[in-house]
Amino acid sequence: MATFALIHGGGGSAWDWHLLEPELRGRGHDTVAVDLPVEDESASLFDCADTVVEAVGDRGDLVVVAHSWGGFVGPLVCARRPAGLLVMVTAMIPAPGERPADWWRNTGFGHVDMTDPIGLFLHDVPKELAEESLARSRSHADKAMDEPWPLDGWPDVPTKFLLCTDDRFFAPGFMREVVRDRLGVTPDEIGGSHAPMLARPAELADRLTGYLTGRS
């Protein structure tokens, strides 16, 4: 049995994983999802990581799953305690010393139209669920966006990257290049939008557990 530590993205919360968690538990695994203290003006990136570590406690066989902005936090969790696997799900890949606020320019992200957030992030999520997701969104304090990423390099943990082929925010072509440049690997791919944990939780659970058995 593995323990999946689920790290939400920017503006998100532990609720983002509420459909994925029973899927993973139904496959015989444990899950931990917490609200990162992103609204706290005093909270650092390591404070976010420590929130996850404290929630995991003494559970073993840790798999860290980081979504979107949570990519700045997932590797820090792996630096705090041993993990068997880090899975980046359509996530930002930080570089040493890079501020989350600078990632967009540094990677050549470009411009996206934010006037229709459901169409951009959640276009394949059921309407009521997508609307609830937006209603639950949280703001980020400046510290969590402006602090340089504190590691000197990537943690010594096996890492997988799962991009979403229908993602209108982190477009597949863009993310394939970022993954190759920053991790030196070819990403794995799953269908769907920027929020596969809401759009296709069973399929995402299959992919995550498949990494443990070599089936993904």
Side-chain angles (χ1 to χ4, degrees), residues 88-125:
M88 306 282 278
V89 179
T90 190
M92 298 166 74
I93 303 169
E98 182 174 59
R99 301 185 313 144
D102 292 337
W103 184 89
W104 315 92
R105 181 184 65 252
N106 293 345
T107 58
F109 176 72
H111 173 75
V112 294
D113 184 355
M114 302 287 287
T115 58
D116 177 15
I118 288 181
L120 184 60
F121 298 102
L122 305 160
H123 58 85
D124 59 347
V125 176

Coordinates of all heavy atoms in Angstrom, one line a residue, residues 88-125:
M88 N 4.5 14.7 -11.3 CA 4.1 16.1 -11.6 C 2.9 16.0 -12.6 O 3.1 15.6 -13.8 CB 5.3 16.9 -12.2 CG 6.5 16.8 -11.4 SD 6.5 18.0 -10.0 CE 7.0 19.5 -10.9
V89 N 1.8 16.5 -12.2 CA 0.6 16.4 -13.1 C 0.3 17.8 -13.7 O 0.0 18.7 -13.0 CB -0.7 15.9 -12.3 CG1 -1.9 15.9 -13.2 CG2 -0.4 14.6 -11.7
T90 N 0.6 18.0 -15.0 CA 0.5 19.2 -15.7 C 1.0 20.4 -14.8 O 0.3 21.4 -14.6 CB -0.9 19.5 -16.3 OG1 -0.9 20.6 -17.2 CG2 -2.0 19.6 -15.2
A91 N 2.2 20.2 -14.3 CA 2.7 21.1 -13.2 C 3.8 22.0 -13.7 O 4.5 21.7 -14.6 CB 3.2 20.2 -12.1
M92 N 4.0 23.1 -12.9 CA 5.1 24.0 -13.1 C 6.4 23.3 -12.6 O 6.4 22.7 -11.5 CB 4.9 25.3 -12.4 CG 3.7 26.0 -12.9 SD 3.2 27.4 -11.8 CE 4.4 28.6 -12.1
I93 N 7.5 23.3 -13.4 CA 8.7 22.7 -13.0 C 9.7 23.8 -12.6 O 10.1 24.6 -13.5 CB 9.3 21.9 -14.2 CG1 8.3 20.8 -14.6 CG2 10.6 21.2 -13.7 CD1 8.7 20.1 -15.9
P94 N 10.0 24.0 -11.4 CA 10.9 25.1 -11.0 C 12.3 24.8 -11.2 O 12.8 23.7 -11.3 CB 10.6 25.2 -9.4 CG 10.3 23.8 -9.1 CD 9.6 23.2 -10.2
A95 N 13.1 25.9 -11.4 CA 14.5 25.9 -11.4 C 15.1 26.5 -10.2 O 14.5 27.3 -9.5 CB 15.0 26.6 -12.7
P96 N 16.3 26.1 -9.8 CA 16.9 26.6 -8.5 C 16.9 28.2 -8.6 O 17.3 28.8 -9.6 CB 18.3 26.1 -8.5 CG 18.2 24.8 -9.3 CD 17.2 25.0 -10.4
G97 N 16.4 28.8 -7.5 CA 16.4 30.2 -7.3 C 15.3 30.9 -8.1 O 15.2 32.2 -8.0
E98 N 14.5 30.2 -8.8 CA 13.4 30.8 -9.6 C 12.2 31.1 -8.7 O 11.7 30.3 -8.0 CB 13.0 29.9 -10.7 CG 12.0 30.4 -11.7 CD 11.7 29.5 -12.8 OE1 11.3 28.3 -12.6 OE2 11.9 29.9 -14.0
R99 N 11.7 32.3 -8.9 CA 10.4 32.7 -8.2 C 9.2 32.2 -9.1 O 9.3 32.2 -10.3 CB 10.3 34.2 -8.1 CG 11.4 34.9 -7.3 CD 11.1 36.4 -7.2 NE 10.6 37.0 -8.5 CZ 9.7 37.9 -8.6 NH1 9.1 38.4 -7.5 NH2 9.4 38.4 -9.7
P100 N 8.2 31.7 -8.4 CA 7.0 31.3 -9.2 C 6.5 32.4 -10.1 O 6.1 32.1 -11.2 CB 6.0 30.9 -8.1 CG 6.8 30.5 -6.9 CD 8.0 31.3 -7.0
A101 N 6.6 33.6 -9.6 CA 6.1 34.7 -10.5 C 6.9 34.9 -11.7 O 6.4 35.5 -12.7 CB 6.1 36.0 -9.6
D102 N 8.2 34.4 -11.7 CA 9.0 34.6 -12.9 C 9.0 33.4 -13.8 O 9.5 33.4 -15.0 CB 10.5 34.8 -12.5 CG 10.7 36.1 -11.7 OD1 9.9 37.0 -12.0 OD2 11.7 36.2 -11.0
W103 N 8.4 32.3 -13.4 CA 8.4 31.1 -14.2 C 7.8 31.3 -15.6 O 8.2 30.8 -16.6 CB 7.6 30.0 -13.4 CG 7.5 28.6 -14.1 CD1 8.4 27.6 -13.9 CD2 6.5 28.1 -15.0 NE1 8.0 26.5 -14.6 CE2 6.9 26.8 -15.3 CE3 5.4 28.7 -15.6 CZ2 6.1 26.0 -16.2 CZ3 4.6 27.9 -16.4 CH2 5.0 26.6 -16.7
W104 N 6.7 32.1 -15.6 CA 6.0 32.3 -16.9 C 6.9 32.9 -17.9 O 7.0 32.4 -19.1 CB 4.8 33.2 -16.6 CG 4.0 32.8 -15.4 CD1 4.2 33.2 -14.1 CD2 3.1 31.7 -15.3 NE1 3.4 32.6 -13.3 CE2 2.7 31.7 -13.9 CE3 2.5 30.9 -16.2 CZ2 1.7 30.8 -13.5 CZ3 1.5 30.0 -15.8 CH2 1.1 29.9 -14.5
R105 N 7.6 34.0 -17.6 CA 8.5 34.6 -18.5 C 9.7 33.7 -18.8 O 10.1 33.6 -20.0 CB 9.0 35.9 -17.9 CG 10.0 36.7 -18.8 CD 10.5 37.9 -18.2 NE 11.4 37.7 -17.1 CZ 11.1 37.9 -15.8 NH1 9.9 38.4 -15.5 NH2 11.9 37.6 -14.8
N106 N 10.3 33.0 -17.8 CA 11.4 32.2 -18.0 C 11.2 31.0 -19.0 O 12.1 30.6 -19.6 CB 12.0 31.7 -16.7 CG 12.5 32.8 -15.8 OD1 12.7 33.9 -16.2 ND2 12.7 32.5 -14.5
T107 N 10.0 30.5 -19.0 CA 9.7 29.4 -19.8 C 9.1 29.8 -21.2 O 8.9 28.9 -22.0 CB 8.6 28.5 -19.1 OG1 7.5 29.2 -18.8 CG2 9.2 27.8 -17.9
G108 N 8.9 31.1 -21.4 CA 8.2 31.5 -22.6 C 6.8 31.2 -22.7 O 6.3 30.9 -23.8
F109 N 6.1 31.2 -21.6 CA 4.7 30.8 -21.5 C 3.8 31.5 -22.5 O 2.9 31.0 -23.1 CB 4.2 30.9 -20.1 CG 2.7 30.6 -19.9 CD1 2.3 29.3 -20.0 CD2 1.8 31.6 -19.7 CE1 1.0 28.9 -19.8 CE2 0.4 31.3 -19.5 CZ 0.0 29.9 -19.6
G110 N 4.0 32.8 -22.6 CA 3.1 33.6 -23.5 C 1.8 34.1 -22.8 O 1.7 34.1 -21.6
H111 N 0.8 34.4 -23.6 CA -0.4 35.0 -23.1 C -1.6 34.0 -23.4 O -1.7 33.4 -24.4 CB -0.7 36.3 -23.8 CG -2.0 36.9 -23.5 ND1 -2.3 37.5 -22.3 CD2 -3.2 36.9 -24.2 CE1 -3.6 37.9 -22.3 NE2 -4.1 37.6 -23.5
V112 N -2.5 33.9 -22.4 CA -3.7 33.2 -22.5 C -4.8 34.1 -22.1 O -4.7 35.0 -21.3 CB -3.7 31.9 -21.7 CG1 -2.7 30.9 -22.2 CG2 -3.5 32.2 -20.2
D113 N -6.0 33.9 -22.7 CA -7.2 34.7 -22.4 C -7.8 34.1 -21.2 O -8.3 33.0 -21.2 CB -8.1 34.6 -23.6 CG -9.4 35.5 -23.4 OD1 -9.5 36.1 -22.3 OD2 -10.2 35.6 -24.3
M114 N -7.9 34.9 -20.1 CA -8.4 34.4 -18.8 C -9.9 34.8 -18.6 O -10.4 34.6 -17.5 CB -7.6 35.0 -17.6 CG -6.1 34.7 -17.7 SD -5.7 33.0 -17.3 CE -6.0 33.0 -15.5
T115 N -10.5 35.3 -19.6 CA -11.9 35.8 -19.4 C -12.9 34.6 -19.2 O -14.0 34.9 -18.7 CB -12.4 36.7 -20.6 OG1 -12.3 35.9 -21.8 CG2 -11.5 37.9 -20.7
D116 N -12.6 33.4 -19.6 CA -13.5 32.3 -19.5 C -12.7 31.2 -18.7 O -12.2 30.3 -19.3 CB -13.9 31.8 -20.8 CG -14.8 30.5 -20.7 OD1 -15.3 30.2 -19.6 OD2 -15.0 29.9 -21.8
P117 N -12.6 31.2 -17.4 CA -11.8 30.3 -16.7 C -12.3 28.8 -16.8 O -11.5 27.9 -16.8 CB -11.9 30.8 -15.2 CG -13.1 31.7 -15.1 CD -13.2 32.3 -16.5
I118 N -13.6 28.6 -16.9 CA -14.1 27.3 -17.1 C -13.6 26.7 -18.4 O -13.1 25.6 -18.6 CB -15.6 27.2 -17.0 CG1 -16.0 27.4 -15.5 CG2 -16.1 25.9 -17.5 CD1 -17.5 27.3 -15.2
G119 N -13.8 27.5 -19.5 CA -13.3 27.1 -20.8 C -11.8 26.9 -20.8 O -11.3 26.0 -21.6
L120 N -11.0 27.6 -20.0 CA -9.6 27.5 -20.1 C -9.1 26.3 -19.2 O -8.2 25.6 -19.7 CB -9.0 28.8 -19.5 CG -7.5 28.9 -19.5 CD1 -6.9 28.8 -21.0 CD2 -7.0 30.3 -18.9
F121 N -9.6 26.2 -18.0 CA -9.1 25.2 -17.1 C -10.0 23.9 -17.0 O -9.5 22.9 -16.6 CB -9.0 25.8 -15.7 CG -8.0 26.9 -15.6 CD1 -8.5 28.2 -15.5 CD2 -6.7 26.7 -15.5 CE1 -7.6 29.3 -15.4 CE2 -5.8 27.8 -15.4 CZ -6.3 29.1 -15.4
L122 N -11.3 24.1 -17.1 CA -12.2 23.0 -16.7 C -13.3 22.7 -17.8 O -14.4 22.3 -17.5 CB -13.0 23.5 -15.5 CG -12.2 24.0 -14.3 CD1 -13.0 24.9 -13.3 CD2 -11.6 22.8 -13.5
H123 N -12.9 22.7 -19.0 CA -13.9 22.6 -20.1 C -14.5 21.2 -20.2 O -15.6 21.1 -20.8 CB -13.2 23.0 -21.5 CG -12.1 22.2 -21.8 ND1 -12.2 21.0 -22.5 CD2 -10.7 22.4 -21.7 CE1 -11.0 20.5 -22.7 NE2 -10.1 21.4 -22.2
D124 N -13.9 20.2 -19.7 CA -14.4 18.9 -19.7 C -14.9 18.4 -18.3 O -15.2 17.2 -18.2 CB -13.4 17.9 -20.3 CG -12.1 17.8 -19.5 OD1 -11.9 18.7 -18.6 OD2 -11.4 16.8 -19.7
V125 N -15.0 19.3 -17.4 CA -15.5 19.0 -16.0 C -17.0 19.3 -16.0 O -17.5 20.3 -16.6 CB -14.8 19.9 -15.0 CG1 -15.4 19.6 -13.6 CG2 -13.3 19.5 -15.0

